[in-house]
């Protein structure tokens, strides 16, 4: 799951810049004979390509950092479950700044950005990861990790949100799901799609009068349009599958939390106390020494069923994303 997350999220992040560059290729050079408009279009294309470099190259890095929080967390859980030492490279020092700097224009004219709770959730997960590495957490921390990070995982993936939409007063989509839907699908890809439609409308309009004498040119133009639109649809489908993958990971995590919590419900005040040592960079030996955690056979059966049920629903999504991205 971590490998799939890493590859898919990296491809989507790369396409934020690539889509912008692709969009510039559809600035038409079509102009009336003897007009200087073609030269102006050429200059406009150069300006737009520079804008892609200035605006989106750094954003690709920031989006990869944002997605890496969840990727590294899933990796860490796998390490804990196998009683191996969780580890990752420390690349979260500028995470707060990267998350706050993520701003994208959407097709509706609004600007996407991470909300405060999303940023806080990402930082909390990063703190857990830092400690999992520096303090060498092992299997005895697995239950506690899932119980203590679940609220942040739900918020950061975007499965739940404490932020209300200003128009509907309903919970707004946030986190990585909102980043994919609003910034990528409704922002980057929609802008590319609109530019493609404008480009081909201009050229097809110019050929309509001579379509009978230039039939092959007209057919070639139509085929190129269909290929361009197929590419948009394929990437949109892959991104929507990625959103569904994020939702299913959040559901899997929530189900594991419910299983590990059992009948002993812990309220928010107790949870804060119970989880404190996971987020403390240094702790005394008495606080960090956990008694051995045992997993009885019935509990293991239930956990395995939760994971295997999720695996069956994740596999088709993984295959679809491989094709689309």
């Amino acid at each position: 799951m971590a490998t799939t997350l890493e590859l898919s999220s990296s491809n989507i992040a790369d396409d934020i810049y690539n889509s912008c560059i692709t969009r510039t290729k559809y600035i038409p050079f079509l102009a009336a004979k003897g007009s200087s408009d073609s030269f102006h279009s050429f200059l406009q294309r150069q300006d737009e390509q520079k804008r892609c470099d200035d605006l989106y190259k750094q954003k690709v890095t920031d989006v990869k950092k944002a997605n890496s929080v969840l990727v590294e967390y899933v990796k860490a859980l796998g390490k804990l479950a196998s009683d191996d030492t969780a580890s990752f490279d420390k690349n979260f020092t500028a995470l707060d700044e990267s998350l706050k700097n993520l701003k994208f224009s959407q097709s509706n004219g609004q600007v996407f950005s991470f909300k405060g709770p999303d940023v806080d959730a990402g930082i909390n997960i990063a703190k857990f990861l830092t400690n999992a590495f520096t303090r060498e957490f092992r299997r005895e921390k697995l239950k506690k990790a899932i119980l203590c990070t679940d609220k942040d995982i739900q918020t950061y993936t975007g499965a739940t949100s404490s932020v209300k939409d200003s128009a509907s007063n309903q919970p707004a989509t946030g986190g990585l799901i909102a980043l994919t839907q609003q910034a990528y699908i409704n922002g980057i890809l929609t802008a590319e799609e609109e530019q493609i439609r404008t480009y081909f409308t201009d050229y097809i309009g110019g050929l309509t009068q001579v379509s009978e004498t230039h039939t092959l040119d007209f057919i070639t133009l139509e085929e190129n349009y269909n290929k361009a639109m197929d590419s948009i649809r394929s990437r949109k489908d892959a991104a929507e599958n990625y959103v569904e993958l994020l939702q299913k990971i959040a559901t899997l995590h929530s189900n594991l939390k419910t299983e590990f919590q059992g009948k002993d419900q812990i309220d928010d005040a107790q949870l804060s106390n119970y989880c404190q040592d996971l987020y403390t960079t240094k702790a005394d030996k008495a606080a960090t020494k956990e008694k051995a955690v045992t997993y009885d056979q019935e509990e293991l059966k239930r956990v395995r069923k939760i994971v295997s049920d999720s695996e069956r629903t994740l596999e088709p999504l993984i295959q679809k994303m491989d094709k689309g991205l």
Side-chain angles (χ1 to χ4, degrees):
M1 191 154 50
T3 302
T4 302
L5 267 178
E6 193 163 29
L7 180 61
S8 300
S9 62
S10 180
N11 287 341
I12 288 172
D14 286 334
D15 197 49
I16 287 170
Y17 173 74
N18 293 338
S19 176
C20 185
I21 291 295
T22 300
R23 194 164 73 237
T24 68
K25 296 174 183 177
Y26 290 97
I27 296 173
F29 287 169
L30 186 68
K33 191 174 182 180
S35 169
S36 62
D37 286 350
S38 292
F39 180 67
H40 290 154
S41 296
F42 176 75
L43 293 179
Q44 182 188 357
R45 186 179 288 190
Q46 282 190 319
D47 289 342
E48 287 298 313
Q49 287 172 344
K50 184 179 184 304
R51 183 172 170 272
C52 291
D53 290 342
D54 294 342
L55 285 181
Y56 291 111
K57 272 194 171 178
Q58 181 56 44
K59 286 196 190 315
V60 169
T61 302
D62 291 339
V63 170
K64 286 186 178 183
K65 281 184 182 177
N67 281 309
S68 71
V69 175
L70 185 61
V71 171
E72 296 299 334
Y73 177 77
V74 174
K75 285 182 181 178
L77 285 190
K79 293 283 189 180
L80 292 177
S82 61
D83 206 26
D84 196 358
T85 302
S87 63
F88 67 93
D89 56 12
K90 294 183 181 179
N91 61 350
F92 294 114
T93 52
L95 179 63
D96 183 78
E97 185 179 349
S98 293
L99 295 181
K100 288 177 179 176
N101 285 341
L102 279 175
K103 297 184 192 309
F104 292 90
S105 297
Q106 300 177 67
S107 57
N108 60 8
Q110 296 181 350
V111 176
F112 165 83
S113 62
F114 267 137
K115 303 297 186 290
D118 300 335
V119 175
D120 293 342
I123 298 300
N124 284 341
I125 297 167
K127 285 179 182 176
F128 163 74
L129 288 169
T130 301
N131 291 344
F133 172 61
T134 57
R135 290 168 54 196
E136 298 187 347
F137 290 168
R138 289 184 181 272
R139 186 180 289 166
E140 66 270 10
K141 295 286 186 184
L142 181 61
K143 283 188 178 184
K144 181 175 280 193
I146 289 176
L147 287 171
C148 295
T149 58
D150 187 65
K151 184 178 179 182
D152 289 323
I153 290 295
Q154 302 305 319
T155 299
Y156 195 68
T157 56
T160 62
S161 177
S162 59
V163 178
K164 293 289 184 71
D165 180 76
S166 56
S168 65
N169 202 35
Q170 296 298 311
T173 304
L176 297 179
I177 289 175
L179 174 63
T180 308
Q181 289 176 330
Q182 297 171 29
Y184 181 61
I185 298 175
N186 297 334
I188 300 297
L189 289 183
T190 298
E192 183 186 338
E193 181 179 3
E194 288 172 354
Q195 187 64 52
I196 289 170
R197 290 186 189 280
T198 300
Y199 175 88
F200 281 100
T201 299
D202 287 347
Y203 276 97
I204 287 174
L207 282 175
T208 300
Q209 302 302 320
V210 293
S211 59
E212 291 184 8
T213 55
H214 293 74
T215 305
L216 290 179
D217 290 339
F218 197 87
I219 290 173
T220 300
L221 195 64
E222 191 173 18
E223 287 176 346
N224 289 339
Y225 171 78
N226 290 334
K227 285 179 184 176
M229 296 307 294
D230 284 345
S231 173
I232 293 286
R233 279 190 288 271
S234 178
R235 283 176 284 152
K236 278 188 176 181
D237 287 345
E240 285 164 0
N241 287 327
Y242 179 65
V243 166
E244 191 174 348
L245 177 67
L246 291 172
Q247 290 168 331
K248 288 185 182 300
I249 287 172
T251 299
L252 168 60
H253 198 278
S254 178
N255 290 341
L256 289 173
K257 177 209 167 189
T258 301
E259 173 58 40
F260 284 143
Q261 192 169 30
K263 297 177 182 178
D264 303 323
Q265 297 294 316
I266 305 174
D267 61 33
D268 287 345
Q270 292 171 317
L271 199 63
S272 177
N273 227 20
Y274 173 73
C275 300
Q276 189 174 8
D277 74 293
L278 284 185
Y279 301 100
T280 306
T281 52
K282 291 182 180 179
D284 59 58
K285 291 181 180 178
T288 58
K289 189 175 181 181
E290 302 262 339
K291 74 174 184 179
V293 174
T294 58
Y295 301 88
D296 64 58
Q297 289 303 309
E298 287 304 312
E299 184 179 41
L300 282 177
K301 283 181 184 177
R302 293 192 298 270
V303 169
R304 286 193 187 107
K305 186 176 187 311
I306 291 169
V307 175
S308 63
D309 287 349
S310 294
E311 188 178 13
R312 279 196 295 272
T313 62
L314 289 169
E315 189 59 36
L317 290 176
I318 292 168
Q319 292 175 359
K320 287 179 184 177
M321 282 188 295
D322 285 343
K323 292 177 182 177
L325 293 171

